[in-house]
Amino acid sequence: MTDSPSPERSIEQQIQTVFPSLIPDYPSGTALARYRTDTHQLPELVRFLHEKMRGRLALLFAVDCRPLEKKCELQYLFAFKSRQPFVLVTTELIGEERLFTSITPSIHAAQWYEREIRDLFGLIPQGHPDLRRLVRHEHWPKGTHPLQKDFSWNHVLERQQGEYRFSHIEGEGVFEVPVGPIHAGIIEPGHFRFSVAGEPIMQLEVRHFWKHRGVEKLFEQLPLIDAVLLAERVSGDTTIGHSLAYCQAVETLLHLNVPRRAKYLRSLFLELERLYNHLGDIGAMCNDTAYALAHAHCGRMKEQVMQLNDRLVGSRFLRGVMQVGGVSWDVDRSQLRNIVQELNGIQKDFSEVGAIIFVNASLTDRLETTGVLTERIAWDHAVTGVVGRASGMDQDVRRDRPFAAYDELPVNVALYRYGDARARLRVRGDEIHESIRLIREIQARIPDGPIAVKPDRSATPGAWAIAAVEGWRGEILYFVMAGTDGRIRRCKVRDPSFANWPAIQWAVLGNIIPDFPLINKSFNLSYAGNDL
Amino acid sequence: MFRIIKKSLKTGVVTGQYPESERPSEPINPAVTKRAKPFRRSLAIREVDTGSCNACEMEMNALLNPVYDAERFGIHIVASPRHADALVVTGPVTVNMERAMKDVHKQTPDPKIVIALGDCAINCGIFKGSYAVTGPVERHIPVDVRIPGCPPRPAEILEALSELRKERP
Ligand code: SF4
């Protein structure tokens, strides 16, 4: 689906032909072309990028430029197929201007981003079909927009009366089933509102942001170097993914050259994280079909990897290993050998378990054709990661925009087209084998040398960088802008969950409610990373 | 069928194969142990996440895997607060979750125990002071047991829970 009309010409050339007045600039460090445009031309330009050039809207966010300049910037980041640079489109709202044109009517993927901007910055997307609150629940007082610069980070919010209006379907025999925010299992809080007629789901509305902790505002209170700690805690199960993406953005700002050995170790940790999460997910999916045996085996293997992490760096979640400039833990030769040995064991173990679970007819029956996310809808919502790859979206940052040591470690990307729960299970299964293979490669190729460099200068205030990392869920994006005194002026975090949550509303249609936990688990999105 | 049995036999029993907790758990107030007396042999837990980073949840989940197998101590997770003897709360209490958490506390029948799991639940951790966080769990409901750590290891959680189950003269 990501074919561009004339692949031999670069994206910049094609933009040049249609919009001759636009001249790109190339900020140093990040592989992207940036176009500045005014609010009138913007909708046309983004529509061209999305529809004609098949660009995926990867990120949309705002920056409040006060106190330097009295304006707000809106940034639209597009990703194209393999190895092409990002295109960033910037437009600004000067002074008190608060209205901007919504692009949601033509690019569906923008809908949550624009609602988020409205809540956090008080800018209003004109023409957006749904202007209900997203992040700020109804009890937040009017006019509170936490990411505006004059809103203090430790402001104490009052409560007001208010009620969220769910969209209703009316008709004979249609009834609504509210679920959450507190669920039956040990999972995070979120609210799901189903409209059903008989058994099949006619509509699902996801209402999230119960866990909004103000992460992006907290980033703005921290020095660039220390904020790794916070990045690790954006979504606990993606400790490495988030901290790595954050570090990469800051390293670009500080012009740091990370030593090769550190890059290999970063890949090692990232793959370990992928491993334990995928193992757990496969087990949990089986558990939701009441297949306890597979759950027990997978839970055991997941635990084995987490204990391995603990022995390696003293944290089951690999906390505290990432630092700006490299990593803070070295893994020596004998440890590497042990890791590979243990993982070889796990691979064999997993293959044996896989041979049992993948041929289980009742499991297959539950998974096949359950929760189908078509390629079309996946594309419309700019879905990323495991969920995307199960629906035929051939994208993986490790291959498309190599970071860490992936320029020397080619990754075989797992790709399935059916888009059902089984495809998502298969993607994870394949990625487990691939991760173990990559770790073997890392052991064979890792060079000697230092594991970190010290930052030797501070970032220019106002400089910014974007970094992308393929975490185990999918593409993690960080935009970091430096402020004065080595602090952060703005940090935009995009966990893959934020892009994927709206898509689940489509994947469940026509399925029955008892299958929802299974479908939800097969997506396994983070609530913490989404709510920020 | 044969393959399944073979795999199970080959794997053997893995329960208990974890390093012992190194950190001694915090002493528990005798009044709390007294209140927990009816739950010594069976403790039904409802987990409530009020804004954690989800690592604490994952460690709670790990308690149920075959390695820790908390069920062997009579500890189980129930689906509703109305079935629970104890609430385990993780995360700082966010502005959006405050109401829901108080509701859950109200819905849990007495006598009940509230366990704050993880640094965030105890003192908001890294999220302290944020506009979107209303304070630690303690600010809203009485907390009986604290299990510190970011996140605490499952072995530490088990240790603290077994402290609660100990017979005392
Ligand atoms: S205590 Fe640590 S692990 Fe637990 S929720 Fe807070 S930040 Fe996450």
Side-chain angles (χ1 to χ4, degrees), chain A residues 12 38 44 106 111 148 151 166 170 181-182 208 212 250 294 332 368 412 460 479 499 514 517-518:
Chain A
E12 286 108 300
D38 56 25
E44 205 188 330
S106 49
Q111 60 157 332
Q148 286 179 346
F151 186 95
F166 287 93
E170 281 170 19
I182 295 173
H208 274 337
H212 178 70
V250 176
D332 64 27
E368 255 177 6
N412 300 318
T460 335
F479 166 93
L518 172 63

Short mmCIF file of all heavy atoms in Angstrom, two decimals, chain A residues 12 38 44 106 111 148 151 166 170 181-182 208 212 250 294 332 368 412 460 479 499 514 517-518:
data_model
loop_
_atom_site.label_atom_id
_atom_site.label_comp_id
_atom_site.label_asym_id
_atom_site.label_seq_id
_atom_site.Cartn_x
_atom_site.Cartn_y
_atom_site.Cartn_z
N GLU A 12 11.10 14.98 -2.40
CA GLU A 12 11.29 16.42 -2.50
C GLU A 12 11.03 16.91 -3.93
O GLU A 12 10.40 17.93 -4.14
CB GLU A 12 12.70 16.83 -2.09
CG GLU A 12 12.94 16.76 -0.60
CD GLU A 12 13.84 15.59 -0.24
OE1 GLU A 12 13.43 14.44 -0.53
OE2 GLU A 12 14.93 15.81 0.30
N ASP A 38 1.97 28.15 5.11
CA ASP A 38 0.98 28.90 5.87
C ASP A 38 -0.27 28.05 6.05
O ASP A 38 -0.44 27.01 5.43
CB ASP A 38 0.66 30.25 5.19
CG ASP A 38 0.20 30.05 3.76
OD1 ASP A 38 -0.32 28.95 3.46
OD2 ASP A 38 0.38 30.95 2.94
N GLU A 44 -3.95 21.40 1.70
CA GLU A 44 -3.67 20.89 0.37
C GLU A 44 -2.37 20.09 0.35
O GLU A 44 -2.29 18.99 -0.20
CB GLU A 44 -3.55 22.09 -0.56
CG GLU A 44 -3.85 21.82 -2.00
CD GLU A 44 -3.52 23.05 -2.83
OE1 GLU A 44 -3.62 24.18 -2.30
OE2 GLU A 44 -3.13 22.88 -3.98
N SER A 106 -9.80 14.69 5.80
CA SER A 106 -9.12 13.95 4.73
C SER A 106 -8.12 12.93 5.25
O SER A 106 -7.82 11.95 4.58
CB SER A 106 -8.45 14.90 3.75
OG SER A 106 -7.69 15.85 4.45
N GLN A 111 -7.25 12.36 13.87
CA GLN A 111 -8.34 12.76 14.75
C GLN A 111 -7.98 12.85 16.23
O GLN A 111 -8.33 13.82 16.88
CB GLN A 111 -9.58 11.91 14.52
CG GLN A 111 -9.38 10.44 14.77
CD GLN A 111 -10.70 9.77 15.07
OE1 GLN A 111 -11.60 10.41 15.57
NE2 GLN A 111 -10.81 8.48 14.78
N GLN A 148 0.21 24.78 27.69
CA GLN A 148 0.51 26.19 27.45
C GLN A 148 1.61 26.61 28.41
O GLN A 148 1.64 26.16 29.55
CB GLN A 148 -0.74 27.04 27.71
CG GLN A 148 -1.78 26.91 26.63
CD GLN A 148 -3.01 27.75 26.92
OE1 GLN A 148 -3.19 28.23 28.03
NE2 GLN A 148 -3.86 27.90 25.93
N PHE A 151 0.85 27.85 32.00
CA PHE A 151 0.18 26.93 32.94
C PHE A 151 1.27 26.29 33.78
O PHE A 151 2.20 25.69 33.25
CB PHE A 151 -0.58 25.87 32.14
CG PHE A 151 -1.43 24.95 32.96
CD1 PHE A 151 -2.78 25.21 33.15
CD2 PHE A 151 -0.89 23.81 33.55
CE1 PHE A 151 -3.57 24.36 33.90
CE2 PHE A 151 -1.67 22.96 34.30
CZ PHE A 151 -3.02 23.24 34.47
N PHE A 166 -21.36 9.91 25.14
CA PHE A 166 -20.99 8.82 24.24
C PHE A 166 -21.86 8.89 23.01
O PHE A 166 -22.98 9.41 23.07
CB PHE A 166 -21.20 7.48 24.93
CG PHE A 166 -20.18 7.19 25.98
CD1 PHE A 166 -20.40 7.52 27.31
CD2 PHE A 166 -18.97 6.61 25.63
CE1 PHE A 166 -19.44 7.27 28.26
CE2 PHE A 166 -18.01 6.36 26.59
CZ PHE A 166 -18.24 6.69 27.91
N GLU A 170 -29.38 4.00 18.29
CA GLU A 170 -30.71 3.70 18.81
C GLU A 170 -31.45 2.77 17.87
O GLU A 170 -31.20 2.76 16.67
CB GLU A 170 -31.50 4.99 19.00
CG GLU A 170 -31.07 5.67 20.29
CD GLU A 170 -31.62 7.06 20.44
OE1 GLU A 170 -32.60 7.37 19.75
OE2 GLU A 170 -31.05 7.81 21.25
N PRO A 181 -13.81 2.06 34.00
CA PRO A 181 -12.38 2.00 33.78
C PRO A 181 -11.63 0.89 34.50
O PRO A 181 -10.52 0.56 34.12
CB PRO A 181 -11.89 3.37 34.29
CG PRO A 181 -12.89 3.77 35.31
CD PRO A 181 -14.19 3.23 34.81
N ILE A 182 -12.23 0.33 35.56
CA ILE A 182 -11.49 -0.72 36.26
C ILE A 182 -11.98 -2.06 35.76
O ILE A 182 -13.18 -2.34 35.75
CB ILE A 182 -11.66 -0.56 37.78
CG1 ILE A 182 -10.99 0.75 38.19
CG2 ILE A 182 -11.03 -1.72 38.51
CD1 ILE A 182 -11.21 1.12 39.62
N HIS A 208 -10.35 6.90 26.88
CA HIS A 208 -9.14 6.66 27.65
C HIS A 208 -8.70 7.87 28.44
O HIS A 208 -9.47 8.72 28.77
CB HIS A 208 -8.03 6.23 26.70
CG HIS A 208 -8.05 4.76 26.44
ND1 HIS A 208 -8.61 3.86 27.29
CD2 HIS A 208 -7.56 4.03 25.42
CE1 HIS A 208 -8.48 2.65 26.80
NE2 HIS A 208 -7.85 2.72 25.65
N HIS A 212 -3.73 9.80 32.68
CA HIS A 212 -2.94 10.97 32.29
C HIS A 212 -2.20 11.53 33.51
O HIS A 212 -2.82 11.95 34.47
CB HIS A 212 -3.86 12.02 31.68
CG HIS A 212 -3.13 13.26 31.29
ND1 HIS A 212 -2.26 13.29 30.23
CD2 HIS A 212 -3.11 14.50 31.83
CE1 HIS A 212 -1.74 14.51 30.13
NE2 HIS A 212 -2.25 15.26 31.09
N VAL A 250 18.22 13.24 22.16
CA VAL A 250 19.11 14.15 22.88
C VAL A 250 20.52 14.09 22.31
O VAL A 250 21.21 15.11 22.19
CB VAL A 250 19.11 13.82 24.39
CG1 VAL A 250 20.10 14.69 25.14
CG2 VAL A 250 17.73 14.03 24.96
N ALA A 294 -0.81 -23.35 27.50
CA ALA A 294 0.08 -22.48 26.75
C ALA A 294 0.44 -21.25 27.58
O ALA A 294 1.58 -20.79 27.57
CB ALA A 294 -0.59 -22.06 25.45
N ASP A 332 29.97 -8.47 29.41
CA ASP A 332 31.24 -9.00 28.89
C ASP A 332 31.03 -10.27 28.09
O ASP A 332 29.92 -10.77 27.95
CB ASP A 332 32.27 -9.17 30.02
CG ASP A 332 31.82 -10.20 31.03
OD1 ASP A 332 31.05 -11.10 30.64
OD2 ASP A 332 32.21 -10.11 32.21
N GLU A 368 -8.73 -17.41 14.32
CA GLU A 368 -8.90 -17.08 12.91
C GLU A 368 -10.17 -16.28 12.68
O GLU A 368 -11.21 -16.58 13.28
CB GLU A 368 -8.95 -18.35 12.06
CG GLU A 368 -7.65 -18.54 11.31
CD GLU A 368 -7.61 -19.82 10.51
OE1 GLU A 368 -8.65 -20.52 10.44
OE2 GLU A 368 -6.56 -20.12 9.97
N ASN A 412 14.86 -9.40 9.41
CA ASN A 412 13.80 -9.96 8.56
C ASN A 412 12.47 -9.59 9.18
O ASN A 412 12.18 -9.96 10.31
CB ASN A 412 13.89 -11.49 8.50
CG ASN A 412 15.23 -11.93 7.94
OD1 ASN A 412 15.72 -11.36 6.97
ND2 ASN A 412 15.82 -12.93 8.58
N THR A 460 21.94 24.00 21.91
CA THR A 460 21.51 25.37 21.63
C THR A 460 20.03 25.49 21.96
O THR A 460 19.23 24.67 21.47
CB THR A 460 21.64 25.66 20.12
OG1 THR A 460 22.63 24.78 19.59
CG2 THR A 460 21.94 27.10 19.84
N PHE A 479 10.04 13.77 20.02
CA PHE A 479 10.49 15.07 19.53
C PHE A 479 11.00 15.80 20.76
O PHE A 479 10.26 15.95 21.74
CB PHE A 479 9.32 15.82 18.90
CG PHE A 479 9.59 17.29 18.68
CD1 PHE A 479 10.08 17.73 17.46
CD2 PHE A 479 9.35 18.22 19.68
CE1 PHE A 479 10.32 19.08 17.26
CE2 PHE A 479 9.59 19.56 19.48
CZ PHE A 479 10.08 20.00 18.27
N ALA A 499 -1.33 5.59 18.31
CA ALA A 499 -1.75 5.44 16.92
C ALA A 499 -2.69 4.26 16.76
O ALA A 499 -3.60 4.27 15.91
CB ALA A 499 -0.53 5.27 16.01
N PRO A 514 -17.70 -11.42 24.12
CA PRO A 514 -16.75 -12.33 24.77
C PRO A 514 -15.42 -12.45 24.03
O PRO A 514 -14.43 -12.88 24.61
CB PRO A 514 -17.49 -13.68 24.76
CG PRO A 514 -18.93 -13.32 24.68
CD PRO A 514 -19.00 -12.07 23.89
N PRO A 517 -11.95 -9.33 24.92
CA PRO A 517 -10.69 -9.44 25.66
C PRO A 517 -9.58 -10.05 24.81
O PRO A 517 -8.43 -9.62 24.87
CB PRO A 517 -11.04 -10.35 26.84
CG PRO A 517 -12.50 -10.18 27.02
CD PRO A 517 -13.06 -9.94 25.66
N LEU A 518 -9.95 -11.03 24.01
CA LEU A 518 -8.97 -11.68 23.15
C LEU A 518 -8.43 -10.69 22.11
O LEU A 518 -7.22 -10.59 21.88
CB LEU A 518 -9.61 -12.89 22.48
CG LEU A 518 -8.79 -13.57 21.39
CD1 LEU A 518 -7.51 -14.13 21.97
CD2 LEU A 518 -9.59 -14.67 20.74
#
